[in-house]
Amino acid sequence: MAQKEAKTSEEVKPSAEPAMVIASTAAPAPSWFTPKRLLAIFCVINLLNYVDRGAIASNGVNGSLGTCTESGVCTSGTGIQGDFNLSNFEDGVLSSAFMVGLLLASPIFASLAKSVSPFRLIGVGLSVWTFATIGCGFSFNFWSITLCRMLVGVGEASFISLAAPFIDDNAPAPQKTAWLAIFYMCIPSGYALGYVYGGLVGSHSNWRYAFWGEAILMLPFAILGFVMKPLQLKGFFHPESTKALTAVETAVSEVQGSDNLNGKDGSFSIKEDLRDSTIQKSSKLKVGTKIMNQISRFMKDMKVLLVDKVYVVNVLGYIAYNFVIGAYSYWGPKAGYNIYHMNDADLIFGGITIVCGILGTLAGGFVLDYISSTISNAFKLLSAVTLLGGACCFGAFCFKNMYAFLALFAVGELLVFATQGPVNYICLHCVKPSMRPLSMAISTVSIHLFGDVPSAPLVGVLQDSINNWRVTALILTSIFIPAAGIWFIGIFLHSVDRFNEESENQITTTERSNTTPLLKGKKTETTKSASEP
């Protein structure tokens, strides 16, 4: 076996000396970071993102307008709405303003990931997020805080597009969907913490402190994105990474072998020549040309996504699903109050969503891993849980008894939240590695632009027309059926898991199997193991 490895090494490298040079640069001390620690860091960041969304919607931060009684007794307003005297329309705009930045910046960050270290992009995005939340705390009117909320969306865009590919890259093969589910579990739990956090801060001090507290918590993670060595994302090849240096070293050794160069002086001179020529070529490119190249590459990648039937079907089903979930989150408490006369509709619906969201999201990921994580199985799980969950929610609204409604609705929510792991697994695995950030970005843009953003006002128009919350809720819930139907079609589409597909800049499978894609913790390259006895 050792002889076979040595023979392989000789075929790749003409001499043992260059191989040892490569090994010395590719085997630094083990890193503190492990895949589980990376997952934990990304979960905390995701949690903070959704804590911010929950905090601005909480009564303590959002507040209310001042009121006056007929007798002339007036009470001052509270929170953002009270301080800036916002109308309900302006207040609604404020809560969703971050979507503008998120939708515009997500494709940009995903496209830049091909030419800039993805982990550095996350650092930039989190820095923007941190300064934007500080700005929210210092805002002085409606327009200033609205602008800051848009920038919060810009900062979040880089993380949303790139975090999931990193997690999927580093997760153990049998637990990829479970790890994604753990990551997306932070969405309902983050919202819940945000409601509590915003309420406590707003009631005990001032709503501005809530934003400043978020910024303090996020700042270490923003700095981390710049001080750590760049993470190697599957399908990408960046000059900052040690693999790029290894590639240069490999080219040097090949030139050495062909020209019979011996000694370190020749090695370093060729290396510097290669680097100098690369720098000279890159410096000659004008800014305009670079921008045009980025746009051209983005359009080509978009064409690839739009003709991929598996991806399109998956996103279409996700849009229909998110249309219902978005309207539930906005109108659910009001519908519950009007249909079942719930005194604490906010707490009841919020509690059901939090518990079922966490348990359902985790269960969906673990179940898919248990039955074998494939695109076909993911579509089967998506269609089944959405159909059954939708049926439970539909049946719940048919009951007149509030407790029967709550029991069946909780089961329905538990099932429909099981989609989070599988749907994102398909987004990541139906495209080649270099396309995964853009795949996640376009999916995020689509489900918001065509799903939860228009669903709230459209359901409001429907309710104004028929003036019956039970009927409105039943019509809305029935949209789960076409969502399940769309995902059911995906089962019969020819699907290929492209997670291990080589891209033009990706390292070889052999190299990847002998390296760890986490920071400094890279194992010795193939060349070293081959050169050793």
Side-chain angles (χ1 to χ4, degrees):
M1 189 69 173
Q3 291 176 352
K4 186 177 179 180
E5 290 180 359
K7 184 178 180 181
T8 304
S9 176
E10 289 174 2
E11 291 174 356
V12 177
K13 303 296 175 186
S15 64
E17 184 176 351
M20 293 305 293
V21 174
I22 298 169
S24 65
T25 59
S31 171
W32 174 84
F33 283 92
T34 63
K36 288 184 179 179
R37 286 170 179 165
L38 178 71
L39 174 64
I41 288 172
F42 279 170
C43 283
V44 173
I45 295 172
N46 203 30
L47 195 72
L48 288 174
N49 279 327
Y50 284 91
V51 163
D52 174 70
R53 297 192 194 182
I56 196 169
S58 68
N59 289 328
V61 173
N62 183 265
S64 60
L65 287 170
T67 57
C68 291
T69 63
E70 293 181 356
S71 59
V73 178
C74 295
T75 57
S76 59
T78 61
I80 297 172
Q81 189 175 21
D83 283 4
F84 296 154
N85 195 29
L86 304 181
S87 65
N88 287 329
F89 173 76
E90 289 174 327
D91 193 27
V93 169
L94 189 62
S95 66
S96 58
F98 81 97
M99 284 287 186
V100 176
L102 181 68
L103 299 183
L104 291 176
S106 290
I108 295 174
F109 277 113
S111 182
L112 286 174
K114 287 194 172 185
S115 56
V116 181
S117 169
F119 206 67
R120 293 291 182 258
L121 289 176
I122 291 178
V124 171
L126 296 183
S127 299
V128 173
W129 192 96
T130 302
F131 285 109
T133 50
I134 292 174
C136 289
F138 283 109
S139 57
F140 51 87
N141 61 15
F142 168 73
W143 290 109
S144 62
I145 195 169
T146 299
L147 178 61
C148 289
R149 295 306 300 170
M150 290 180 182
L151 290 175
V152 167
V154 171
E156 187 178 332
S158 66
F159 181 75
I160 293 297
S161 304
L162 300 170
F166 274 123
I167 292 172
D168 193 66
D169 249 11
N170 294 286
Q175 300 174 0
K176 287 188 178 294
T177 319
W179 280 41
L180 287 173
I182 292 171
F183 176 71
Y184 287 105
M185 176 197 69
C186 297
I187 295 176
S189 53
Y191 264 118
L193 286 174
Y195 289 139
V196 175
Y197 168 74
L200 290 175
V201 173
S203 60
H204 288 85
S205 54
N206 188 286
W207 61 267
R208 297 179 186 273
Y209 289 100
F211 293 114
W212 294 335
E214 293 168 9
I216 292 172
L217 292 174
M218 185 67 84
L219 183 60
F221 298 103
I223 296 173
L224 204 62
F226 293 103
V227 299
M228 291 192 307
K229 285 192 175 182
L231 286 170
Q232 179 66 38
L233 185 61
K234 187 177 181 69
F236 294 87
F237 190 51
H238 298 290
E240 293 179 79
S241 68
T242 57
K243 292 189 186 302
L245 179 58
T246 302
V248 173
E249 302 272 10
T250 303
V252 171
S253 64
E254 290 174 350
V255 174
Q256 283 180 312
S258 62
D259 292 344
N260 296 319
L261 292 176
N262 293 313
K264 296 182 179 179
D265 293 337
S267 172
F268 288 131
S269 63
I270 294 174
K271 275 197 301 180
E272 292 184 4
D273 288 343
L274 286 172
R275 288 171 175 166
D276 290 343
S277 62
T278 302
I279 294 172
Q280 289 173 1
K281 288 179 181 179
S282 61
S283 63
K284 291 178 181 179
L285 290 175
K286 295 182 179 179
V287 176
T289 305
K290 289 183 180 180
I291 294 175
M292 291 304 297
N293 288 340
Q294 287 283 357
I295 294 174
S296 176
R297 184 162 48 190
F298 172 76
M299 297 305 295
K300 288 179 181 178
D301 289 345
M302 281 297 299
K303 184 178 179 180
V304 172
L305 284 181
L306 294 177
V307 298
D308 188 326
K309 294 180 181 179
V310 173
Y311 180 78
V312 171
V313 167
N314 186 52
V315 173
L316 286 176
Y318 204 7
I319 290 171
Y321 164 88
N322 217 54
F323 187 94
V324 183
I325 295 297
Y328 271 180
S329 65
Y330 192 82
W331 294 112
K334 184 167 287 188
Y337 176 80
N338 283 276
I339 298 172
Y340 298 102
H341 307 290
M342 297 179 186
N343 293 326
D344 298 315
D346 286 331
L347 294 177
I348 292 172
F349 269 84
I352 291 175
T353 301
I354 292 162
V355 175
C356 295
I358 293 173
L359 296 179
T361 301
L362 288 175
F366 282 101
V367 168
L368 181 57
D369 284 334
Y370 179 78
I371 63 176
S372 181
S373 298
T374 65
I375 292 176
S376 178
N377 283 346
F379 274 125
K380 291 175 185 177
L381 186 60
L382 286 172
S383 58
V385 297
T386 304
L387 183 63
L388 292 175
C392 289
C393 292
F394 189 92
F397 281 109
C398 293
F399 280 102
K400 293 184 178 180
N401 182 274
M402 182 181 74
Y403 296 103
F405 160 78
L406 291 176
L408 197 55
F409 187 74
V411 174
E413 288 252 287
L414 189 71
L415 288 166
V416 297
F417 272 110
T419 59
Q420 292 303 305
V423 73
N424 287 289
Y425 176 89
I426 296 174
C427 278
L428 289 169
H429 284 251
C430 71
V431 297
K432 64 182 182 180
S434 61
M435 293 280 293
R436 295 195 303 165
L438 184 63
S439 172
M440 296 302 298
I442 298 303
S443 173
T444 302
V445 169
S446 300
I447 64 173
H448 290 311
L449 191 61
F450 304 108
D452 55 4
V453 169
S455 67
L458 288 176
V459 169
V461 170
L462 177 64
Q463 170 59 21
D464 289 340
S465 176
I466 62 178
N467 196 28
N468 187 319
W469 274 110
R470 189 184 300 274
V471 175
T472 298
L474 290 172
I475 293 173
L476 172 66
T477 305
S478 65
I479 298 176
F480 275 133
I481 297 175
I486 293 170
W487 278 328
F488 183 74
I489 294 172
I491 299 172
F492 304 99
L493 295 176
H494 174 67
S495 58
V496 178
D497 191 329
R498 294 189 170 92
F499 176 78
N500 288 316
E501 185 174 301
E502 301 296 333
S503 68
E504 60 183 356
N505 292 325
Q506 190 180 343
I507 58 174
T508 64
T509 306
T510 305
E511 284 176 323
R512 181 170 179 81
S513 67
N514 286 278
T515 58
T516 304
L518 288 178
L519 310 177
K520 299 178 183 178
K522 299 186 181 295
K523 295 180 183 178
T524 305
E525 300 290 343
T526 307
T527 51
K528 180 180 179 181
S529 62
S531 63
E532 290 178 348

